[in-house]
Amino acid sequence: MITKLWLKDFRNFGEVLLDFKGKSNVFIYGENNQGKTNFLESIFFLGNGSSHRESKNENLVRFDTALSYIGLEVSKDDQKHKVYFKILKDGKRLGTFNQQLLNST
């Protein structure tokens, strides 16, 4: 279960910290162009290391910023796992899983 999601300069988000602890269902709604799909895209990226709709990582970084950070905390069987990615404007990405470096590109 996802317990926390953190976004900084990802797509149209400035800095957002969402805490899902104690919530079994989350409903995402809002006007057009408010970030609903970007929110889901960030979760997909954290699970797969790439976007489901964008082939260039540099397009995931918020306009006029040099890099983006996204992070996720997951709880399973009373264990917590953390995934973080730093996406650079040149398209490179650095990821960690439980503070261990993942393959970078």
Side-chain angles (χ1 to χ4, degrees):
M1 173 191 276
I2 296 173
T3 54
K4 288 185 183 177
L5 176 69
W6 175 61
L7 308 171
K8 182 170 183 185
D9 296 326
F10 182 82
R11 292 280 194 179
N12 66 330
F13 292 105
E15 186 166 7
V16 177
L17 174 62
L18 300 171
D19 190 340
F20 300 108
K21 289 180 185 171
K23 296 178 176 63
S24 59
N25 295 310
V26 175
F27 184 70
I28 303 166
Y29 67 95
E31 298 291 325
N32 289 339
N33 297 317
Q34 298 301 304
K36 299 177 298 293
T37 302
N38 296 343
F39 166 76
L40 295 172
E41 181 178 25
S42 71
I43 295 171
F44 186 92
F45 190 98
L46 286 158
N48 295 284
S50 63
S51 169
H52 67 285
R53 65 184 185 142
E54 178 61 60
S55 62
K56 296 181 180 180
N57 288 337
E58 56 265 29
N59 293 334
L60 303 175
V61 179
R62 188 174 178 195
F63 183 72
D64 282 344
T65 61
L67 52 97
S68 173
Y69 296 98
I70 55 177
L72 184 71
E73 183 179 284
V74 177
S75 179
K76 182 176 182 200
D77 299 328
D78 294 327
Q79 292 184 351
K80 290 185 181 180
H81 303 284
K82 296 179 181 180
V83 179
Y84 289 99
F85 275 95
K86 176 167 54 171
I87 306 166
L88 305 173
K89 194 62 172 180
D90 65 4
K92 292 181 182 172
R93 63 176 169 77
L94 265 135
T96 62
F97 177 75
N98 291 338
Q99 299 182 339
Q100 294 193 12
L101 192 62
L102 300 170
N103 290 340
S104 59
T105 60

